[in-house]
Amino acid sequence: MFEIIFEDPETKDKRFAFQNSWGFSTRTIGAMIMVHGDDQGLVLPPRVACIQVVIIPCGKTVNLSEADAAALDEECKSIEQRLVKAGVRAQADFRDNYSPGWKFNFYELRVS
């Protein structure tokens, strides 16, 4: 790349030097953050992210019977287990004190 030439001590011929750099510095990490970030922060590719899928049960209202709410939760748990078994880092959010919209916003901004 820089056309570094040296004289071979045996043949006295001019030769090009072979070179490479495996320096993995903070600049590389900074470049990754700049490529994968936005105004809200770092957006990690799925292979790197600690959680790849978040399952948020929707449709729980005051009018929903307890049996239907339990069936919805069981189905979400089943989906979560199938994803984990397939090697996907999945998590279900069953918190009742937050709405699904709040949870969507929370997981879009960050995953804790």
Side-chain angles (χ1 to χ4, degrees):
M1 178 173 163
F2 297 110
E3 296 184 21
I4 298 173
I5 299 173
F6 68 96
E7 185 177 300
D8 187 347
E10 294 177 11
T11 63
K12 304 295 183 195
D13 291 335
K14 304 253 186 216
R15 301 212 177 200
F16 287 99
F18 292 97
Q19 62 182 11
N20 60 21
S21 172
W22 294 96
F24 195 76
S25 68
T26 54
R27 275 193 241 166
T28 306
I29 296 169
M32 185 198 73
I33 290 171
M34 288 174 59
V35 168
H36 294 288
D38 61 11
D39 290 341
Q40 301 298 322
L42 180 61
V43 179
L44 294 173
R47 287 187 179 182
V48 180
C50 59
I51 299 173
Q52 295 171 314
V53 174
V54 177
I55 301 164
I56 299 173
C58 295
K60 285 187 178 183
T61 61
V62 177
N63 299 330
L64 190 66
S65 69
E66 282 193 33
D68 289 340
L72 177 63
D73 286 347
E74 285 302 316
E75 185 62 30
C76 290
K77 287 177 188 174
S78 170
I79 293 169
E80 178 185 19
Q81 290 170 354
R82 283 189 289 169
L83 288 170
V84 169
K85 191 174 182 180
V88 177
R89 292 183 299 278
Q91 171 183 319
D93 189 342
F94 296 108
R95 295 180 290 176
D96 290 331
N97 54 336
Y98 295 108
S99 68
W102 187 94
K103 293 176 187 179
F104 294 148
N105 185 52
F106 175 78
Y107 287 109
E108 283 179 8
L109 293 179
R110 68 182 180 95
V111 176
S112 61

